[in-house]
């Protein structure tokens, strides 16, 4: 057995615990899925027979064998639970949003240094096939100088959902804090810190208490205009990525293939995992100096959220820099707070 294995506990075995965390921890050779918190229904053992199930986070944090905890509880608990975990000498992997306030994030980074532990942001969408195809096109230089970057995440959820933590006006609720962290992280990971930004929220569903529409406009020093939009009232989802440069354009529909596969029970080790439908190609249109247009289809490469856990392990065990930096997290929260 790998002596350097990271014994890991998950704070909740709801959708994110079952779909986004447990399957990867269980299959990763450098991790061990040791424990989970299940406050009411005990069902983790049905899939993972040797797992320990605790009634609350304090019991899990008292388990001296666990080195890493994943905090995937409601947004308002992130700061409190992460601080408790660091004080219990655990490394921390935090679901989005990292915290509700940037001041809370600063306190966590300070505490992590004090206790010599890592506190890391879980940003699995950096390893979506559609996003990786966008990065590939940008890296190719075929677009020339980028002028506009449009990023969308569309859903249709007209009815008010049952989760109070998402649908009542508590800190960190609403669509901006739900999907905004992923979208802002995507942009900041590519282009860095914007020069200026504007934020616009909307409430359009009948009787909604929280924002169900969010738009961010980020402006970069070279003049690049970035437009981020997410809405719960789009019956015909638009392309997720639209890029316009001085020499070409790239349009890509959202794939979300890994989440769909995981929900159907596919394991990350399956050879088909992370492969988009062959028909879901991005379209790259370029123009040469003679004004002749050329259009080509871009097939996304295979992707896997397993890379998040590679990053976590390499940071904790190997001391390598984590891809989601402290500065990126602070910038993202500053925009959300504005």
């Amino acid at each position: 057995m790998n002596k350097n294995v990271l014994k890991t506990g998950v704070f909740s075995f709801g959708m994110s615990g079952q779909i986004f965390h447990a399957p990867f921890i269980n299959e990763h050779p450098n991790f061990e899925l040791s424990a989970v918190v299940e406050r009411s229904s005990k069902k983790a053992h049905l899939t993972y027979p040797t797992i320990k199930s605790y009634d609350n986070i304090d019991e899990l944090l008292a388990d001296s064998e666990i080195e890493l905890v994943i905090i995937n509880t409601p947004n308002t608990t992130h700061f409190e639970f992460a601080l408790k975990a660091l004080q219990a000498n655990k490394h921390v992997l935090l679901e989005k949003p990292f915290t509700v306030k940037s001041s809370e994030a600063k306190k966590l980074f300070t505490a992590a240094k004090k206790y010599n532990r890592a506190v890391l942001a879980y940003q699995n969408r950096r390893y979506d096939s559609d996003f990786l195809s966008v990065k590939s096109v940008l890296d190719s230089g075929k677009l020339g100088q980028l002028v506009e970057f449009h990023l969308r995440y569309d859903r249709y959820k007209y009815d008010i959902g049952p989760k109070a933590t998402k649908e009542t006006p508590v800190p960190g609720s609403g669509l901006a804090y739900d999907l905004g962290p992923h979208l802002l992280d995507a942009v900041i990971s590519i282009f860095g810190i914007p020069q200026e930004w504007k934020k616009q929220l909307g409430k359009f569903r009948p009787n909604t208490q929280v924002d169900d529409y969010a738009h961010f406009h980020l402006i970069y020093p070279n003049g690049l205009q970035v437009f981020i939009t997410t809405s719960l009232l789009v019956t015909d989802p638009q392309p997720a990525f639209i890029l316009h440069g001085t020499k070409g354009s790239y349009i890509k529909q959202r794939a979300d293939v890994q989440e769909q596969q995981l929900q159907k029970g596919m394991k990350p080790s399956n050879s088909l995992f992370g492969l988009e439908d062959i028909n879901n190609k991005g379209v790259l249109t370029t123009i040469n100096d003679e004004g002749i247009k050329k259009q080509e289809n871009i097939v996304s490469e295979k992707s896997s959220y397993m890379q998040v856990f590679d990053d976590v392990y390499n940071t904790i065990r190997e001391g390598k820099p984590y891809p989601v930096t402290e500065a990126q997290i602070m910038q993202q929260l500053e925009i959300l707070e504005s």
Side-chain angles (χ1 to χ4, degrees):
M1 184 177 176
N2 184 354
K3 293 182 180 179
N4 283 323
V5 68
L6 272 170
K7 294 190 175 184
T8 304
V10 183
F11 272 14
S12 173
F13 201 62
M15 191 278 276
S16 73
Q18 295 176 50
I19 298 297
F20 292 117
H21 299 296
F24 297 96
I25 300 166
N26 186 59
E27 292 198 359
H28 199 296
N30 293 328
F31 288 78
E32 178 186 304
L33 183 58
S34 301
V36 68
V37 174
E38 295 179 289
R39 292 165 182 79
S40 51
S41 174
K42 301 285 186 178
K43 56 186 178 183
H45 70 279
L46 299 175
T47 307
Y48 308 102
T50 62
I51 200 169
K52 290 180 279 189
S53 178
Y54 292 112
D55 293 332
N56 55 66
I57 67 160
D58 291 327
E59 290 180 2
L60 189 149
L61 291 176
D63 188 333
S64 60
E65 291 189 345
I66 293 176
E67 282 189 79
L68 170 69
V69 297
I70 295 175
I71 298 177
N72 58 332
T73 48
N75 299 352
T76 52
T77 66
H78 287 192
F79 171 67
E80 176 192 352
F81 288 178
L83 187 58
K84 266 191 175 186
L86 292 169
Q87 292 169 340
N89 208 35
K90 312 295 186 188
H91 298 290
V92 175
L93 181 60
L94 260 172
E95 275 263 14
K96 53 82 185 173
F98 189 78
T99 52
V100 174
K101 298 178 181 178
S102 57
S103 59
E104 295 172 335
K106 285 182 182 178
K107 290 177 182 177
L108 289 184
F109 290 128
T110 300
K113 292 180 178 69
K114 176 182 178 181
Y115 296 106
N116 194 29
R117 299 288 94 180
V119 57
L120 309 172
Y122 176 79
Q123 283 290 356
N124 60 320
R125 299 296 180 179
R126 289 195 181 195
Y127 297 111
D128 274 335
S129 55
D130 49 15
F131 179 62
L132 292 175
S133 82
V134 168
K135 289 184 67 178
S136 176
V137 169
L138 283 171
D139 291 342
S140 75
K142 292 181 179 180
L143 297 179
Q145 180 182 346
L146 199 62
V147 177
E148 286 183 88
F149 184 99
H150 296 257
L151 174 55
R152 296 190 64 95
Y153 204 124
D154 294 329
R155 291 175 171 173
Y156 186 79
K157 293 185 177 180
Y158 183 82
D159 296 327
I160 306 299
K163 292 185 178 180
T165 53
K166 287 191 174 184
E167 295 283 14
T168 54
V170 297
S173 63
L175 189 60
Y177 269 93
D178 185 28
L179 295 179
H182 281 320
L183 301 171
L184 289 167
D185 178 73
V187 171
I188 292 170
S189 71
I190 298 176
F191 304 118
I193 307 302
Q195 186 176 47
E196 58 182 289
W197 64 86
K198 298 176 182 177
K199 181 183 78 171
Q200 182 68 49
L201 304 182
K203 298 178 181 178
F204 295 102
R205 295 170 301 164
N207 302 315
T208 186
Q209 300 181 66
V210 300
D211 55 277
D212 47 32
Y213 171 90
H215 178 77
F216 304 90
H217 179 195
L218 282 59
I219 303 171
Y220 281 84
N222 62 355
L224 171 65
Q225 307 290 310
V226 175
F227 304 93
I228 299 173
T229 305
T230 181
S231 173
L232 293 183
L233 293 173
V234 179
T235 56
D236 183 19
Q238 302 300 296
F241 303 92
I242 300 177
L243 289 70
H244 298 301
T246 54
K247 292 294 182 180
S249 299
Y250 182 60
I251 298 176
K252 180 73 175 76
Q253 298 285 345
R254 184 165 302 283
D256 230 0
V257 61
Q258 291 185 66
E259 181 172 350
Q260 294 169 9
Q261 290 173 330
L262 290 163
Q263 288 176 336
K264 293 176 182 177
M266 183 182 287
K267 294 183 178 181
S269 56
N270 190 303
S271 61
L272 298 178
F273 184 77
L275 282 175
E276 282 188 30
D277 186 317
I278 193 66
N279 296 314
N280 192 25
K281 304 179 184 76
V283 178
L284 173 63
T285 304
T286 54
I287 188 165
N288 64 19
D289 293 338
E290 286 72 45
I292 299 172
K293 286 186 180 181
K294 176 187 175 183
Q295 196 167 81
E296 58 183 305
N297 293 325
I298 305 297
V299 178
S300 299
E301 295 182 9
K302 183 177 167 66
S303 60
S304 178
Y305 299 153
M306 193 68 84
Q307 291 179 261
V308 175
F309 296 93
D310 290 341
D311 294 337
V312 170
Y313 185 85
N314 289 337
T315 296
I316 293 174
R317 285 286 188 259
E318 308 294 337
K320 295 181 181 179
Y322 193 64
V324 189
T325 68
E326 181 176 331
Q328 290 170 345
I329 293 168
M330 295 303 298
Q331 182 62 60
Q332 176 197 121
L333 291 173
E334 188 177 344
I335 294 172
L336 286 170
E337 284 181 302
S338 64

